[in-house]
Amino acid sequence: MAQPAWPTRPVRVINPYSPGGTTDVAMRLMAPRLERDFGQPFPIEARPGAGGAVGTLAAAQSTDGHTLLVTNTGPLAVAPSVMANAGYDPARDFRYIHLFGGAPIVIAVKADGPIRTLEQFVALARSRPEAVSYANSGPGSMGHLAGLAFEGATGARLLHIPFRGAPEAQAGVLAGDVVALMDTVGAHAGAIRQGSLRAIAFTAESRVPLFPGVPTLREAGMAQGVISNWFLLCGPASLPEAQAVRLAVTCRAASAEPAVRERLEGLGLVSLGDLAPEEIRAFVVAEGARWKPIIEAAGLRA
């Protein structure tokens, strides 16, 4: 028998962070193609809180058949190890659809401030234990883990200032309330290009093509400083496989469009491979296993 038509109404896409971050922008690049192919709007609903866990749990618990989730490493590979009970299991509670790619973390400061290089930032942090602050998108976010990696590599002790999302974290640095930013590059690339933020390092394997003049932590001798924040689209486990496959086909087609690919690269995203839904699930589980011992060693579990 023929499958019933889907969707029959707008498909809500939950973004577990504030509007304007990389998750939000990446999904907005996909939405026009999805709306064209499926004939319904795909509105994005911001549900920030608890480092992305609030919106992620809402998506996992959805049973309306018309809810998706655009999210990243934090809620799926970090939060389950940080929180005593996140309320969801990344291996069991989601139907994976499309992996957009991965982006490094940028360490940035206010451009007109006194810090101009990574070396200066390290020296300041070492001289003032737990007084030099850094902002990011929330507890357990990849920016938070980047801060922990930085501390481990340099012996410095930083003051972690979590925000609800990337825009708020950036505003805190630009207002002078926080010394530095450690967050996914995409949400802050515009401010770096415009000159209000100064990038002083990236957590990349090699220099980021968008900003070739900025060194990596690895260049500075921090071997554990390679950290990628990946982004993906999924739905609750109740989403039928046939619908997930259709969505995956459309997302792959959209990502291959030159204009969309250029914009994704402009967010600092690089391809992590054209993975099928079950391969994405395996990737997410492996990433969770990678970060769990680091989180436990740092005593982050709530």
Side-chain angles (χ1 to χ4, degrees):
M1 295 178 65
Q3 294 292 316
W6 185 91
T8 57
R9 53 190 173 86
V11 179
R12 176 182 60 156
V13 183
I14 294 177
N15 165 26
Y17 297 98
S18 298
T22 302
T23 50
D24 183 65
V25 176
M27 190 61 217
R28 291 185 190 281
L29 293 174
M30 294 290 112
R33 180 65 181 258
L34 289 166
E35 291 172 353
R36 187 182 78 193
D37 286 10
F38 287 91
Q40 290 285 349
F42 279 69
I44 301 171
E45 177 185 318
R47 294 282 297 274
V54 170
T56 300
L57 176 60
Q61 293 177 335
S62 174
T63 58
D64 64 5
H66 287 71
T67 295
L68 302 176
L69 171 72
V70 58
T71 188
N72 62 24
T73 315
L76 295 179
V78 178
S81 293
V82 171
M83 304 176 69
N85 182 19
Y88 57 84
D89 182 340
R92 183 192 65 218
D93 294 334
F94 298 96
R95 177 83 69 181
Y96 292 96
I97 296 168
H98 182 68
L99 183 63
F100 295 108
I105 304 300
V106 62
I107 301 178
V109 295
K110 192 177 181 182
D112 59 3
I115 300 172
R116 304 185 65 83
T117 67
L118 176 62
E119 291 75 17
Q120 290 174 344
F121 181 66
V122 171
L124 179 64
R126 283 174 172 164
S127 70
R128 300 174 58 194
E130 298 186 354
V132 176
S133 56
Y134 73 103
N136 52 49
S137 298
S141 68
M142 296 312 292
H144 187 191
L145 293 185
L148 294 176
F150 177 89
E151 289 180 328
T154 63
R157 297 295 297 172
L158 301 173
L159 176 62
H160 177 223
I161 307 294
F163 286 81
R164 288 170 64 86
E168 293 90 344
Q170 182 183 118
V173 174
L174 294 179
D177 297 328
V178 187
V179 175
L181 174 82
M182 293 191 192
D183 205 21
T184 302
V185 58
H188 310 286
I192 296 170
R193 290 194 198 95
Q194 293 163 9
S196 55
L197 278 179
R198 180 189 304 279
I200 58 174
F202 283 105
T203 65
E205 182 77 29
S206 56
R207 294 212 174 191
V208 176
L210 282 174
F211 305 104
V214 181
T216 67
L217 292 183
R218 192 165 190 171
E219 286 179 69
M222 303 180 201
Q224 302 302 315
V226 179
I227 300 169
S228 176
N229 192 12
W230 37 263
F231 298 82
L232 59 76
L233 179 67
C234 62
S238 59
L239 182 73
E241 181 180 5
Q243 295 168 7
V245 170
R246 289 178 59 205
L247 287 162
V249 169
T250 293
C251 287
R252 283 198 298 271
S255 294
E257 294 176 4
V260 173
R261 175 49 50 193
E262 182 179 355
R263 289 287 306 280
L264 289 172
E265 291 174 352
L267 293 173
L269 294 181
V270 296
S271 175
L272 296 176
D274 186 13
L275 305 184
E278 286 309 306
E279 291 175 317
I280 298 174
R281 183 187 307 279
F283 171 79
V284 169
V285 171
E287 283 284 277
R290 171 195 176 192
W291 287 112
K292 184 176 181 179
I294 297 172
I295 291 165
E296 291 177 345
L300 289 183
R301 190 168 180 84

